[in-house]
Amino acid sequence: MIVLPLILALPILFVSAQSNDTAVQIEAIEAHFTQAALVPELLATFDPSSILTVNFDGVGDLSPGQSLTQDQVAPTPTIKITAANSSVDLTGNFTLAMVDADVVGADESNITRHWLENSVIISNGQVSNSSATAITSYAGPAPASGSGPHRYVVILYQQPASFSPPSDFSQPNLGVSKFDLNGYVKDSQLGAVVAANYFTVELVARAPQVMLP
Ligand SMILES: *[C@@H]1O[C@H](CO)[C@@H](O)[C@H](O)[C@H]1NC(C)=O
Ligand SMILES: *[C@@H]1O[C@H](CO)[C@@H](O)[C@H](O)[C@H]1NC(C)=O
Ligand SMILES: *[C@@H]1O[C@H](CO)[C@@H](O)[C@H](O)[C@H]1NC(C)=O
Ligand SMILES: *[C@@H]1O[C@H](CO)[C@@H](O)[C@H](O)[C@H]1NC(C)=O
Ligand SMILES: *[C@@H]1O[C@H](CO)[C@@H](O)[C@H](O)[C@H]1NC(C)=O
């Protein structure tokens, strides 16, 4: 007699311990940034007015600090912005950046630019690049093997009308490179951090091959 395996799709009742209240979620992201030493290593202070949600095709919406593989983060993600409340103004231009802040304890000189777009807008709660300038198009993480879990931080800055990028950042198509993020923000007169989030990618060193005599 053939016994067919019966796969029962049991409905899973998931009781979320975490509230979906945006203010609570923003506090959770702030706590993650402090715990991961991104505050103060990357950002001196962090007081976002919105939630930034990174979504990779095939992975879905990331949770703060989520650990992912290099393959999972290879495609350009979509970025969702959710205001803390209805008095947060999300009209106008913004600058979107993604940097590799290296491992916990790395210094500012090791920050690497992976994505930099000026004049993005927020349309239907999503960051839109329809009229943006891609200074550096999205370039997926490639941390050195065995160098530990790198922190990839996606940040949305207010871009006021006075925004004026330094001449070496005024043209598109710059590649991945070391980057003085805070110097750039100051020199180009970007405004406050609207929202930010991060994920981690680690390439584990392969065990050395045993050479047989
Ligand atoms: C949480 O989400 C549910 C479903 O989307 C919604 O009905 C509810 O109002 C939300 N609660 C808060 C506090 O935002
Ligand atoms: C709305 O959110 C902003 C940013 O978090 C906060 O500064 C402000 O006090 C909030 N306003 C209200 C009415 O809750
Ligand atoms: C910077 O990165 C290099 C290469 O990954 C690493 O060897 C070095 O320890 C890092 N330095 C600091 C100060 O974080
Ligand atoms: C907008 O982003 C898409 C997806 O990453 C990219 O293919 C396109 O070239 C970008 N357009 C501009 C104007 O930056
Ligand atoms: C937004 O960016 C676009 C494209 O660079 C520019 O034409 C427009 O003047 C900017 N608007 C504001 C309010 O800065």
Side-chain angles (χ1 to χ4, degrees), residues 7 16 39 46 50 59 116 136-138 165 169 171 184-185 208:
I7 296 166
S16 176
V39 177
F46 182 43
S50 305
V59 181
L116 182 62
T136 299
S137 294
Y138 179 81
F169 287 102
Q171 297 294 322
Y184 172 82
V185 168

Side-chain angles (χ1 to χ4, degrees), residues 102 105-107 109-110 144 147 150:
D102 207 314
D107 69 19
S109 63
N110 262 19
S147 63
H150 284 226

Side-chain angles (χ1 to χ4, degrees), residues 76 115 117 129-134 138:
T76 305
W115 201 7
E117 298 224 28
N129 70 353
S130 58
S131 51
T133 305
Y138 179 81

